[in-house]
Amino acid sequence: MILVTGGAGYIGSHVVRDLADRGYSVIVIDNLTTGHIEAVDKRAIFIRGDAGDPKLLDLIFKTYSIQAVMHFAASCLVGESVVHPLKYYQNNVVETVRLLQKMTEYQIKHFIFSSTCATYGIPNQSTIDEKLPTHPINPYGKSKLMIETMLNSISASADFNYIALRYFNVAGAHPSGEVGEDHDPETHLIPNILRHLQGKSSYIEIWGNDYATSDGTCIRDYIHVTDLSAGHILALEYLLKNQGRKTAEIFNLGNEHGVSVLEMIHLCEQVAGAKANVKIQPRRKGDPPQLVASSQKIRTVLGWAPRYDIISTIETAWNWHRKHPNGYN
Ligand SMILES: NC(=O)c1ccc[n+]([C@@H]2O[C@H](COP(=O)([O-])OP(=O)(O)OC[C@H]3O[C@@H](n4cnc5c(N)ncnc54)[C@H](O)[C@@H]3O)[C@@H](O)[C@H]2O)c1
């Protein structure tokens, strides 16, 4: 049995499906602050609650034989983390400490953690590998780096294995169109462009067009949520097969391909067959010009390879938005 925290959220719900498809039994804990009960695969056991609730974890760990924990539950809005930092240290760090305390108490020794490229801050090189120093510039990125630091310390002191996956920009939807991205507020570029092209907003904002990039707009690396999910399954199987060998790994998960904001708008227009109304705004503080992953390490160690390119990623997102114009509601 695999315990998935945050399994009602965008990424967690996709991974829960993929785990169930591969025959894993899954139990989900989610407090539904940003997640949706409708997103949780019916094959999983769902418990509404906090990922660090000691009483709930006692109940789960006593009742089920948990082989590994995948920890997606978190607060994840960079801007909000600057305004309300304690919310981020509480929900991301304190809740995770509580979860890890219970895991060590019940000797559950495999952990897969949703980290982020925000741990790198504003890197001084355009392609980012795991050796690059981490200098997060906002409480969200700092909270994730604190958890990585804790994991490292726990694994040095106990029989505890972990893989932290530093995601780049996660995008797209399940190929079935049954689960997809539904955040409120939505801060991610692709859903915001597609919702605009569906007539749900009057314009799409570009935050700065004077960066030192090919067209002046910021460049990001977009990884399809199904490819990301495949990385989690490989990580899980690596941990489960490597019984007896200590694992303490950090892997980037990105597509290794940069797309500018302006290019993304044009690609979405092409997929949706509609024209966007674009508004240029001043630069936002703290936006690095370019963030593109090197995923060489996870390719080599786990044999991971992405299957979706940027057009097929947008197509799956468009399919989800057309089928669910109001999200899960
Ligand atoms: N979406 C991205 O592009 C991206 C990039 C890098 C990292 N991440 C990380 O991936 C993870 C999942 O992100 P997402 O986009 O699916 O976000 P999401 O908001 O859709 O999902 C998070 C889920 O966790 C739940 N949750 C939050 N706090 C909880 C708590 N204390 N106890 C129980 N449940 C709780 C929410 O209700 C939600 O269902 C997060 O840890 C995030 O930091 C996401």
Side-chain angles (χ1 to χ4, degrees), residues 124-137:
N124 58 7
Q125 65 192 59
S126 51
T127 303
I128 300 166
D129 66 33
E130 296 83 351
K131 290 193 208 84
L132 208 71
T134 43
H135 298 295
I137 58 160

Side-chain angles (χ1 to χ4, degrees), residues 9-11 30-31 33-35 49 51 72 91 140 144 167 170 183:
Y10 167 46
I11 300 169
D30 197 301
N31 62 14
T33 46
T34 58
F72 297 94
N91 198 40
Y140 168 66
K144 293 285 183 174
Y167 315 159
V170 187
H183 293 126

Side-chain angles (χ1 to χ4, degrees), residues 175-192:
S176 66
E178 286 167 14
V179 282
E181 194 164 8
D182 181 9
H183 293 126
D184 184 17
E186 186 55 81
T187 57
H188 295 151
L189 183 62
I190 296 177
N192 274 331

Side-chain angles (χ1 to χ4, degrees), residues 5-13 29-36 47-53 71-77 90-92 95 113-118 140 144 165-171 181-183 188 223 228 232:
T5 75
Y10 167 46
I11 300 169
S13 60
I29 307 182
D30 197 301
N31 62 14
L32 299 181
T33 46
T34 58
H36 306 270
I47 299 180
R48 184 170 185 170
D50 290 325
D53 179 342
H71 185 40
F72 297 94
S75 300
C76 1
L77 299 176
Q90 170 63 42
N91 198 40
N92 296 1
E95 286 288 300
F113 174 56
S114 299
S115 193
T116 166
C117 65
Y140 168 66
K144 293 285 183 174
L165 298 169
R166 290 183 180 157
Y167 315 159
F168 283 65
N169 290 44
V170 187
E181 194 164 8
D182 181 9
H183 293 126
H188 295 151
I223 173 170
L228 188 90
H232 286 73

